[in-house]
Amino acid sequence: MNTNRRDFLTLTGLTSLSLALPRSLRANTTPPHVLVIGGGFGGATVAKYLKLWGGNIDVTLIDRDASHYACILSNLVVTGAIPISRIQLGYGNLKTKRGVNIVQGEALSVDPASKEVTVKIGNDFFAYAFDKLVLSPGIDFINPAGNYNSDLTPHAWKAGPQTLLLKNQLAAMAKKQTFVMTIPKSPYRCPPGPYERACSVADYLKRKKSGAKIIVLDANASIQAEPINFGNAFTKTYKDVLTYIPNAAVSEVDSSTKTIVTSQGTFKGAVLNVIPNQRAGQIVANAGLVNDPTGKWALVNPLNYASTLYPDIHILGDSQGTGQPKSGHMANSQAKVCADAIIRGFSGEAPDPSPVTSSACFSPITSKTASWLTASFQYDPVTKAMKRVEPSFAEAPRPTSDGMEQMFHWADNIFADSFS
Amino acid sequence: MQTSSPPSHPTTLLRAANPRTLLALSAACAYHTLPAAPPPGQLLSSQCFQCHGTNGQPVSGFEGIGGENANEMHKELLEMSLRKPEGIMDLQIRAYTPAQLRLIANYLSTLPKTGETNDD
């Protein structure tokens, strides 16, 4: 439908009527419309693969920002090792190469009955009709109690301006000062990520800020990913600069004084990097789709990522509650399962009964070396859940310079596989 | 009536009551313009593309995996899944059953070889 026709229909009051028609009553040459909310790794990948595999499907991708900043490699932006432009991923290729409609706006609410999403664009509100909706908004934060302000104590757990804020605070540290960071309660986005950040910052402090220290306050009882590599880094490589404190649940934060109260004591730093506890993106909550026992995530069928509440609304990536790790690589992996199932569904077919998803991740341990972590999942028809394949689950034997090289190749390829 | 220029695609400026009555007339009807079943192995193989590039055509570093002989590729995948793990690939490959590895090898062999064409 072109703009002129839509304007005409709106003027004549017919638009609402025509969009309300079920697809089966519209001309069957009209392609189905898939609306994707959230342009991170999950949303970008599902939009791309719907077009690549699906042929005649209209796909619209809506994100509040004009481009996406990858969390992948973002700890290297914090330390100044790479510029932020290295992790900025635009939507131009999805638009011109794949034919995805790109819309910059903020999705506010979902009406599952009328199959419409309300989107704020500039100062106006629009209703977007869909045949299938995919929500991939990433995480939102559960802000800690107290005088908390992420502009003063950045989380840098959504990349972009927050990443630069933390980078500038780190660069401004004087010698012998302290960097305090927190690790949220699991599950959170990117299990190895906070430990990777601790290593990247510790390496930076050793090289650039003599006598400076980092205190790592972990809300969990132990290191949540790559316990061997991060354990060795904390107790050997960085033993003179890094203090790791497990079981440190955050009770209060004062961002103005950069003070944090935890179950393991009160800490104050020149930089306070609070990474708050996490939940599904707000639009998932607004749509009434948060229904797991913890009250934080959305339950889905892992054969197609459809909500257990509404079969035409799919949730993938960090917001879904299948128990698979929350990461960009995993979101890309799930997005392909979702795209394949949506295409099959339009043709009246059931989803693939045996999907496999995987997560690979490379983490810098020093400025010259990186480790890796991998885990893959098969669908278990008995439990109807994704089950980790234990022989596929491992961390690198040790961090290496080859690992660092592979990390950049991995980033280049997953950036391209998702966004171009 | 709001006058801002609307975004691309099927939207309507929000306004009062939508007529919904025709929803009741819904009838089952498949989408004739869509392709039939996806080829076997396509979805499984796409889980290689995060590192080996869309359709097995990497943009950086790792080897291209499109357009290889299916039997040779299958043999190589099986070997990787059985040997003592040497790197991340040997772990990743252990996610798949032997039957899935066969599907992957067959599908990848139908893709263009790296550099021969693009993925459109």
Side-chain angles (χ1 to χ4, degrees), chain A residues 3 6-7 10-11 13 15-17 19-25 28-29 32-33 48-49 52-54 56-58 60 97-98 101-103 114 116 118 121 124-129 131 329 332-333 336-337 340 344 346-347 349 352 354 356-360 362 372-374 376 378 389 391-394 406 409-410 412-414 416-417, chain B residues 1-55 57-63 85-97 100 103 107 118-120:
Chain A
T3 303
R6 180 177 56 247
D7 285 350
T10 303
L11 285 166
T15 304
S16 301
L17 177 64
L19 289 174
L21 282 170
R23 276 216 41 79
S24 50
L25 287 185
N28 62 18
T29 51
H33 183 223
K48 168 177 169 172
Y49 276 83
L52 182 66
W53 289 341
N56 196 19
I57 298 176
D58 261 339
T60 302
K97 200 168 152 191
R98 305 295 172 191
N101 307 303
I102 304 294
V103 174
S114 66
E116 285 179 344
T118 303
I121 300 169
D124 292 322
F125 297 86
F126 295 88
Y128 277 72
D131 295 299
H329 195 117
N332 169 301
S333 185
K336 290 166 177 169
V337 176
D340 182 78
R344 287 171 191 256
F346 283 142
S347 306
E349 291 183 23
D352 184 327
S354 314
V356 177
T357 57
S358 63
S359 188
F362 291 84
W372 49 257
L373 169 67
T374 182
S376 297
Q378 283 265 8
V389 182
S392 78
F393 178 56
Q406 286 185 11
H409 294 319
W410 164 67
D412 285 337
N413 283 305
I414 195 170
D417 187 44
Chain B
M1 175 65 60
Q2 296 175 63
T3 54
S4 63
S5 59
S8 64
H9 221 62
T11 69
T12 177
L13 282 165
L14 276 185
R15 37 192 296 134
N18 271 350
R20 302 283 182 220
T21 48
L22 283 173
L23 280 171
L25 300 173
S26 177
C29 177
Y31 300 108
H32 296 284
T33 54
L34 286 164
Q42 177 179 267
L43 174 58
L44 287 170
S45 298
S46 72
Q47 303 299 354
C48 310
F49 299 167
Q50 292 96 342
C51 292
H52 293 279
T54 302
N55 286 347
Q57 314 244 349
V59 298
S60 164
F62 302 121
E63 70 182 300
E86 292 170 12
I88 192 167
M89 192 60 239
D90 294 345
L91 277 309
Q92 287 259 326
I93 207 72
R94 282 167 162 75
Y96 302 91
T97 65
Q100 287 173 327
L103 287 174
Y107 178 76
N118 65 27
D119 54 42
D120 291 304

Side-chain angles (χ1 to χ4, degrees), chain A residues 82-353:
Chain A
I82 59 172
I84 193 151
S85 57
R86 182 75 173 76
I87 59 168
Q88 183 176 14
L89 302 167
Y91 302 116
N93 281 328
L94 291 180
K95 182 176 180 177
T96 56
K97 200 168 152 191
R98 305 295 172 191
V100 176
N101 307 303
I102 304 294
V103 174
Q104 190 178 352
E106 178 149 26
L108 298 177
S109 63
V110 178
D111 184 341
S114 66
K115 298 175 78 171
E116 285 179 344
V117 176
T118 303
V119 181
K120 186 168 189 275
I121 300 169
N123 293 319
D124 292 322
F125 297 86
F126 295 88
Y128 277 72
F130 61 82
D131 295 299
K132 289 280 187 181
L133 174 65
V134 180
L135 299 176
S136 185
I139 48 144
D140 261 313
F141 298 110
I142 303 167
N143 286 344
N147 177 30
Y148 169 74
N149 180 347
S150 63
D151 291 339
L152 300 174
T153 53
H155 49 74
W157 218 243
K158 291 181 183 181
Q162 278 276 314
T163 313
L164 293 178
L165 207 52
L166 187 62
K167 168 196 158 82
N168 292 339
Q169 291 190 0
L170 176 64
M173 277 177 69
K175 291 174 181 177
K176 297 187 179 174
Q177 286 190 322
T178 303
F179 183 106
V180 177
M181 69 172 284
T182 71
I183 297 176
K185 193 82 184 155
S186 286
Y188 56 82
R189 166 180 280 178
C190 189
Y195 306 96
E196 170 190 313
R197 173 169 296 170
C199 288
S200 295
V201 169
D203 178 84
Y204 176 91
L205 296 177
K206 264 179 87 167
R207 288 185 289 114
K208 307 255 184 179
K209 310 279 179 185
S210 113
K213 309 269 190 206
I214 173 170
I215 296 171
V216 182
L217 301 166
D218 193 340
N220 303 288
S222 60
I223 294 174
Q224 297 296 292
E226 299 182 54
I228 297 168
N229 284 315
F230 290 122
N232 283 337
F234 288 3
T235 56
K236 293 176 186 161
T237 316
Y238 300 119
K239 68 175 163 33
D240 298 330
V241 294
L242 186 148
T243 305
Y244 174 69
I245 303 175
N247 294 308
V250 177
S251 49
E252 208 176 313
V253 172
D254 187 338
S255 295
S256 58
T257 61
K258 295 184 178 167
T259 305
I260 183 166
V261 183
T262 76
S263 53
Q264 299 294 325
T266 299
F267 301 86
K268 190 172 157 77
V271 177
L272 176 56
N273 172 210
V274 176
I275 306 172
N277 290 336
Q278 294 160 24
R279 60 180 173 83
Q282 188 60 43
I283 186 67
V284 178
N286 291 353
L289 299 168
V290 171
N291 62 338
D292 82 322
T294 69
K296 293 177 182 168
W297 314 103
L299 294 179
V300 297
N301 173 2
L303 292 179
N304 59 5
Y305 291 87
S307 163
T308 56
L309 301 175
Y310 300 103
D312 292 325
I313 302 179
H314 303 251
I315 304 126
L316 54 85
D318 295 350
S319 284
Q320 55 72 39
T322 60
Q324 298 170 94
K326 301 180 187 303
S327 72
H329 195 117
M330 184 46 92
N332 169 301
S333 185
Q334 294 168 354
K336 290 166 177 169
V337 176
C338 180
D340 182 78
I342 286 175
I343 292 164
R344 287 171 191 256
F346 283 142
S347 306
E349 291 183 23
D352 184 327

Side-chain angles (χ1 to χ4, degrees), chain A residues 50-70:
Chain A
L50 281 166
K51 296 298 286 187
L52 182 66
W53 289 341
N56 196 19
I57 298 176
D58 261 339
V59 181
T60 302
L61 175 64
I62 300 182
D63 194 276
R64 65 162 74 91
D65 297 318
S67 59
H68 180 70
Y69 289 95

